[in-house]
Amino acid sequence: MTTRNLSAGQTTIAAQATATGNGAIAIIRLSGPMAHQLLGLLFSPTRADFTDFVPWRLHYGTLHDGTGRRLDEVLCVYMPGPKSYTGEDCAEIHCHGGQLIVSSILQALFAAGAVPARRGEFSYRAFLNGRMDLSQAEAVAEMIAAPGRQALDQSLRRLDGELARRVGQVRTSLENVRVQMSLAVDFPEDEVEILGREDFLVRVQAAQKALNELLTGFARASVLQNGAKVVLAGSVNAGKSSLMNALLGRNRALVTDVPGTTRDFLEESVLFEDLPVRLVDTAGVRESTDFVEAQGIARSREQIAAAQCLVLVVDGAALGEEGWTAPVCPDPVVRDLLQTENDTPRVVLWNKVDCYRPDPSFGAAPAWCTQTNHVVSCLCVSAQTGENLDLACSRIRSAILDPLPEQEADVAPNDRQAAALHKASRALDALVRDIEAGQLYDLLSVHLDTCCSHLDDVIGVGTAQDVLNRVFESFCIGK
């Protein structure tokens, strides 16, 4: 991992800010003390009355390298610090989007004194220069990677500084408590107003409540940002691969009439409305003496154990009326997965309804489907005709999201921030226990220090350099 230099602002960095690959337009970004000088060195304006770059205004002209060779017709803008993205002098070059053009311009900038930007270095400089806290910097990367509308909305709220404000309020309240504790320790015999234990406990519990509100929506926000693993499981030839292809809208899995065609699991990403899903097609579970198939089945069981939602696919054509009306599921694989004791939600899909459609008088679901609390939905579908597949996606999405509480706060933390908030909350739990046990104030302050340290990690105050490196190395170059 690259070690970042806290004095990095002494150099001027450059990088392509738009996605790589040929396109209509590309943007090259510069930040550092030479930004204005580099533009002036390479840019030739079209206007005869041009004297210097007017900040925040696009200027049209041509760009040349150090030998005078023409590189492209461009638009350039100069943005002086500190009111720029990084807080430093910045500039952007808007050029044509061919990669040869972009590469030529970057090479000219490097030859003139700029250095290549590392991953996330523009945002890192913005963080160092106080333009954003760590939670806002992370929100920048999360906005770019947001797979759905709700995940994007969460990132935008963190970018606005809402999470930092809420964490800061909790930290300020605990700092006030610490001041009162210090008075009690340093001036025990003086007539100084100090915080009584009951008031102390009330304030700490209020801080606990505020942290718990922030953490309430974490699980839901994490799934919306990072996705959920949905595993198609069942017996051989139930139509799992056909369903995989139908849900993806393309032929990803090999489908044949030969039972056991899928011998290893396949994983593909897809959106169920705004929920990113890692859809896994598994080998049909059965006893097999074939070494390769047995290995695939073992891997399938591992995927099933790691699933956040199990989609149990049954062969409706093979089970027929007897299978639908049976008191116990006649498919031994599905029966075993229905009886497995864990909290993974199950959605049962009665596949091949185009071959056998249960009589409506039999009920909305087989009796064996309703005998376990883990089955949240049962639906008749057809991978062949596409019948009810949109509804199946909606049911699977609900099976994953409905158990997860909606957030009480306006914003939810990401995985790293939630880990720090959980540690802060545990420190307050320990503090409450010691208050109730009558511990001395000077001993209680250790828990307060620990809690405040973890709150600082959320927004990047005093955060260890290795943590900062991990955060910003996850960014793309140019951001």
Side-chain angles (χ1 to χ4, degrees):
M1 181 176 294
T2 304
T3 300
R4 294 175 182 271
N5 185 355
L6 292 178
S7 61
Q10 295 174 358
T11 60
T12 298
I13 55 175
Q16 181 176 351
T18 47
T20 57
N22 293 331
I25 298 293
I27 298 175
I28 294 170
R29 172 181 282 174
L30 298 94
S31 179
M34 291 179 64
H36 182 275
Q37 177 184 340
L38 290 172
L39 276 191
L41 185 65
L42 303 180
F43 178 74
S44 296
T46 300
R47 289 177 60 113
D49 59 349
F50 177 89
T51 56
D52 197 359
F53 295 98
V54 178
W56 314 106
R57 181 179 297 177
L58 284 169
H59 297 271
Y60 174 64
T62 59
L63 214 65
H64 300 79
D65 65 13
T67 67
R69 182 179 59 179
R70 185 181 182 191
L71 300 177
D72 192 17
E73 292 184 350
V74 298
L75 291 170
C76 291
V77 58
Y78 170 62
M79 298 165 282
K83 294 184 178 180
S84 66
Y85 179 73
T86 64
E88 304 172 337
D89 287 353
C90 289
E92 287 182 358
I93 300 169
H94 297 227
C95 61
H96 291 96
Q99 281 303 292
L100 180 59
I101 297 171
V102 172
S103 177
S104 298
I105 294 174
L106 285 172
Q107 290 305 314
L109 291 170
F110 299 150
V115 297
R118 292 166 292 184
R119 286 183 175 273
E121 189 164 4
F122 291 95
S123 296
Y124 181 68
R125 292 188 176 200
F127 166 70
L128 289 181
N129 292 324
R131 293 292 291 166
M132 59 178 69
D133 62 61
L134 189 57
S135 67
Q136 291 173 300
E138 288 175 292
V140 172
E142 289 162 356
M143 283 175 56
I144 295 170
R149 183 70 242 183
Q150 290 192 57
L152 177 58
D153 288 343
Q154 280 292 334
S155 300
L156 284 169
R157 283 194 284 271
R158 286 197 289 270
L159 183 63
D160 286 341
E162 182 60 27
L163 179 65
R165 281 192 290 272
R166 288 180 176 272
V167 170
Q169 288 170 359
V170 174
R171 199 191 186 294
T172 299
S173 69
L174 294 177
E175 282 291 343
N176 292 335
V177 169
R178 182 155 49 181
V179 169
Q180 293 294 316
M181 285 177 59
S182 297
L183 289 173
V185 172
D186 296 338
F187 307 99
E189 298 177 358
D190 293 350
E191 293 184 0
V192 178
E193 183 179 352
I194 62 174
L195 194 65
R197 285 188 178 269
E198 289 187 4
D199 290 338
F200 187 8
L201 187 61
V202 168
R203 294 195 189 184
V204 172
Q205 289 172 334
Q208 277 183 310
K209 182 175 182 293
L211 293 184
N212 289 335
E213 287 177 354
L214 282 173
L215 287 166
T216 299
F218 159 66
R220 188 181 186 91
S222 180
V223 168
L224 288 168
Q225 180 71 43
N226 302 319
K229 176 173 284 192
V230 175
V231 176
L232 303 174
S235 298
V236 295
N237 217 35
K240 299 183 296 299
S241 296
S242 296
L243 275 170
M244 173 89 158
N245 291 338
L247 292 171
L248 292 175
R250 58 189 174 89
N251 290 328
R252 172 64 179 87
L254 180 63
V255 176
T256 74
D257 293 331
V258 179
T261 300
T262 302
R263 296 161 71 87
D264 198 356
F265 71 89
L266 299 174
E267 182 171 336
E268 289 290 334
S269 297
V270 65
L271 275 177
F272 286 179
E273 297 179 28
D274 58 352
L275 174 66
V277 164
R278 301 188 303 280
L279 192 62
V280 181
D281 177 26
T282 60
V285 178
R286 65 175 177 178
E287 294 297 325
S288 177
T289 58
D290 182 290
F291 176 77
V292 176
E293 184 179 14
Q295 291 296 307
I297 291 170
R299 290 187 176 187
S300 294
R301 292 189 183 279
E302 292 174 358
Q303 293 296 314
I304 289 169
Q308 289 165 278
C309 179
L310 267 181
V311 178
L312 305 181
V313 184
V314 296
D315 187 346
L319 297 186
E321 181 177 328
E322 291 184 3
W324 185 276
T325 58
V328 177
C329 180
D331 184 324
V333 175
V334 173
R335 182 171 65 245
D336 178 61
L337 293 173
L338 285 173
Q339 294 172 350
T340 302
E341 287 299 325
N342 59 45
D343 295 330
T344 307
R346 281 89 152 166
V347 174
V348 176
L349 297 184
W350 180 276
N351 192 25
K352 305 182 184 179
V353 73
D354 52 300
C355 299
Y356 171 74
R357 185 181 300 275
D359 191 298
S361 64
F362 294 156
W368 46 263
C369 241
T370 59
Q371 291 171 356
T372 171
N373 293 330
H374 303 306
V375 174
V376 296
S377 182
C378 178
L379 192 63
C380 292
V381 301
S382 171
Q384 186 69 29
T385 66
E387 182 176 346
N388 278 341
L389 291 188
D390 286 344
L391 183 56
C393 294
S394 180
R395 296 279 182 89
I396 293 168
R397 179 185 181 278
S398 296
I400 296 167
L401 291 180
D402 285 356
L404 304 177
E406 296 276 3
Q407 64 202 58
E408 295 183 26
D410 294 335
V411 65
N414 64 18
D415 291 6
R416 187 197 67 82
Q417 296 156 0
L421 291 174
H422 275 298
K423 291 176 183 177
S425 182
R426 287 195 292 270
L428 291 185
D429 290 341
L431 178 57
V432 167
R433 289 193 298 269
D434 284 357
I435 293 172
E436 294 174 338
Q439 285 282 9
L440 297 175
Y441 274 12
D442 53 350
L443 298 178
L444 297 177
S445 64
V446 174
H447 296 307
L448 272 179
D449 291 341
T450 301
C451 178
C452 289
S453 175
H454 292 310
L455 294 180
D456 287 344
D457 283 343
V458 175
I459 56 179
V461 176
T463 303
Q465 190 62 43
D466 63 328
V467 175
L468 296 178
N469 287 340
R470 286 198 298 273
V471 169
F472 287 100
E473 285 289 338
S474 67
F475 283 45
C476 58
I477 294 174
K479 196 55 190 173

